[in-house]
Amino acid sequence: QYYKSLALSEKSFLKKLFFKIESFKLQHYENRNLRYANKVFCFTENDGAWFKSHGIDAQVVNPVLSNLKVNTVAGMGKAILIHGNLSVNDMVNSIKLILEQFQDDSKFQFIIAGKNPSRELHNFLAHYSNVKLVENPNSEELKSLILDAQINLCYSEIREGFKMRLLPLLEYGRY
């Protein structure tokens, strides 16, 4: 369902096609191989319910942080951070929604970080003087952005799947 949802959120024909193909491939893989599974571990209740509805024993587990402790920095952060794959339309739509709703009320700078931002996103962000775009940060740069942010936003219109970008926010982020 995750790839189907991504396909629905895309405007580009090629991206829609890519996500639909990925959805088909995953469905084919699951149909062919899940019958051999005795148990499946998943991150969300929705995923667990889906597997159970297909006759597979599923257990929902919590993802584990790398050091099993919170590593936040004391004090006040410098910005509001939004990060993710900026080439995916769901992420772009989330950024637009957040900025249109909250940017004028914020005393913080917004930092948008992620890989492969589109020209459309560049053009949209150019209208906001209080927004900085960090393109293609490596893992250390992203960790530093998370540590320096006062607020880390992780929003998505897509309910399916688990947002892996949430894990470093839980480990290193303030709020």
Side-chain angles (χ1 to χ4, degrees):
Q1 292 293 27
Y2 177 67
Y3 286 117
K4 283 182 184 177
S5 296
L6 286 175
L8 290 173
S9 76
E10 286 297 336
K11 292 186 264 183
S12 161
F13 172 77
L14 290 177
K15 286 184 180 181
K16 278 184 181 294
L17 181 62
F18 170 78
F19 287 127
K20 284 181 180 182
I21 290 170
E22 290 302 304
S23 176
F24 173 78
K25 287 176 12 184
L26 180 59
Q27 186 177 11
H28 180 70
Y29 175 84
E30 288 171 344
N31 289 340
R32 191 179 52 203
N33 294 300
L34 283 178
R35 63 178 171 231
Y36 301 113
N38 294 325
K39 187 170 205 148
V40 173
F41 297 95
C42 42
F43 288 142
T44 69
E45 295 291 337
N46 285 345
D47 291 343
W50 184 87
F51 284 111
K52 287 177 183 176
S53 75
H54 287 78
I56 298 164
D57 185 18
Q59 181 176 345
V60 177
V61 296
N62 291 324
V64 179
L65 301 177
S66 63
N67 295 323
L68 299 176
K69 64 180 181 174
V70 176
N71 296 300
T72 59
V73 175
M76 195 70 163
K78 301 174 188 170
I80 297 172
L81 176 66
I82 305 168
H83 86 279
N85 185 345
L86 302 180
S87 67
V88 175
N89 207 48
D90 174 61
M91 190 71 216
V92 173
N93 289 340
S94 297
I95 291 166
K96 288 179 177 180
L97 177 75
I98 290 166
L99 290 178
E100 288 168 352
Q101 294 295 317
F102 300 107
Q103 201 275 339
D104 291 338
D105 298 330
S106 176
K107 61 184 175 186
F108 290 100
Q109 177 185 36
F110 279 82
I111 296 177
I112 312 299
K115 63 182 186 176
N116 305 326
S118 67
R119 179 63 33 213
E120 175 193 355
L121 183 59
H122 276 274
N123 293 339
F124 177 80
L125 296 178
H127 294 95
Y128 294 93
S129 61
N130 202 25
V131 175
K132 176 183 174 186
L133 177 62
V134 179
E135 296 185 55
N136 304 308
N138 64 37
S139 58
E140 283 305 309
E141 290 169 322
L142 186 57
K143 180 180 171 183
S144 177
L145 290 170
I146 293 169
L147 285 167
D148 289 342
Q150 178 62 26
I151 299 170
N152 291 279
L153 294 177
C154 185
Y155 178 78
S156 174
E157 294 277 326
I158 296 176
R159 294 179 42 197
E160 292 81 17
F162 180 79
K163 308 308 177 241
M164 296 302 288
R165 68 181 188 267
L166 180 61
L167 294 177
L169 300 181
L170 292 172
E171 187 171 0
Y172 300 110
R174 287 182 177 90
Y175 295 101

